[in-house]
Amino acid sequence: MVRKIEFPKKKGKYACWLSKNEVKHLIENCTKSRDQEIILTLLASGLRVHEACKASSRDIFEDDRGLMIKVFGKGKDGRKKYRETPIPFTLKMADLPITRKYGGVHNPISTHTALNWVKEAGAKMDCPELSPHDLRRSYASILLESGIDPAVIMEWLGWSSWETFRKYYMNVANPDFQKQERLKMDFLN
């Protein structure tokens, strides 16, 4: 069952987190390759939806850290920000940007189109509230549950606020993960 919480100040608005199994289920249930493309791009990179829609195959490179993607975004202050985020080899062959055919011409999809495609896929697994940002949340939570250092996750995903990361990602960890962490405390026994 998809973990979700209602935003306190926004009635009817939810934040959702998918487990590793739910991620596999979501991808397997995509009947359209276009849906699978955007979902894989979002889940495999943690990019924000507007970053994923603007991503290009030219932004993918490999160095001593592995396969990376250059991400160009904006900070809250409006200034341009640049970061490099690791991606799996499944995205190396991705044909970015993800396009949609309009009047015989392929154009990059809009964030609105990506939102609709993710919502359609979410509805198939009884989570019609699922949004592209929920896939980003899921990516961060899965990294955290896998033992990746929170500071590294923050750098990869372009967060500068520890407080925001702690509030929205660390306090909703999977109950199984919390049990696993609890077992580390048996040094007192």
Side-chain angles (χ1 to χ4, degrees):
M1 174 122 189
V2 175
R3 293 172 282 165
K4 54 185 165 181
I5 60 168
E6 189 171 14
F7 286 112
K9 295 181 181 178
K10 298 178 181 177
K11 286 282 184 212
K13 297 282 185 179
Y14 293 86
C16 304
W17 290 262
L18 303 178
S19 67
K20 288 180 186 179
N21 287 337
E22 290 163 338
V23 164
K24 287 178 188 173
H25 183 70
L26 179 69
I27 293 167
E28 288 168 0
N29 285 325
C30 286
T31 54
K32 298 177 184 171
S33 62
R34 63 168 205 190
D35 298 358
Q36 197 172 51
E37 281 182 85
I38 190 63
I39 288 168
L40 279 172
T41 301
L42 292 164
L43 280 169
S45 64
L47 296 177
R48 294 173 179 94
V49 67
H50 69 276
E51 294 167 345
C53 290
K54 289 180 183 176
S56 166
S57 296
R58 294 184 311 268
D59 299 329
I60 297 173
F61 68 97
E62 194 169 354
D63 65 13
D64 58 333
R65 299 170 295 174
L67 197 60
M68 307 291 282
I69 188 164
K70 298 173 187 174
V71 182
F72 303 91
K74 286 185 186 175
K76 284 189 177 182
D77 56 7
R79 293 190 317 192
K80 290 185 179 181
K81 288 191 166 191
Y82 170 81
R83 69 181 193 278
E84 296 172 349
T85 300
I87 57 172
F89 282 92
T90 53
L91 284 186
K92 185 174 187 173
M93 303 313 286
D95 187 18
L96 298 175
I98 297 167
T99 61
R100 186 173 183 188
K101 198 171 185 176
Y102 298 103
V105 178
H106 284 275
N107 292 303
I109 63 169
S110 67
T111 57
H112 183 73
T113 297
L115 172 69
N116 288 339
W117 292 356
V118 170
K119 285 203 171 294
E120 283 176 25
K124 290 178 187 171
M125 56 185 288
D126 296 323
C127 187
E129 307 90 354
L130 192 68
S131 74
H133 202 78
D134 294 327
L135 301 181
R136 180 173 162 82
R137 269 188 208 95
S138 299
Y139 176 78
S141 295
I142 290 169
L143 292 179
L144 186 63
E145 292 167 9
S146 298
I148 296 177
D149 187 290
V152 173
I153 297 170
M154 287 178 63
E155 181 180 328
W156 287 347
L157 294 168
W159 289 311
S160 56
S161 169
W162 169 252
E163 192 59 35
T164 299
F165 179 77
R166 189 181 63 73
K167 181 178 177 184
Y168 292 105
Y169 297 89
M170 294 186 82
N171 72 340
V172 293
N174 182 332
D176 294 334
F177 173 67
Q178 290 185 20
K179 287 178 196 171
Q180 174 188 332
E181 292 299 297
R182 180 84 181 197
L183 292 175
K184 294 177 183 177
M185 294 178 61
D186 78 2
F187 70 90
L188 296 173
N189 296 332

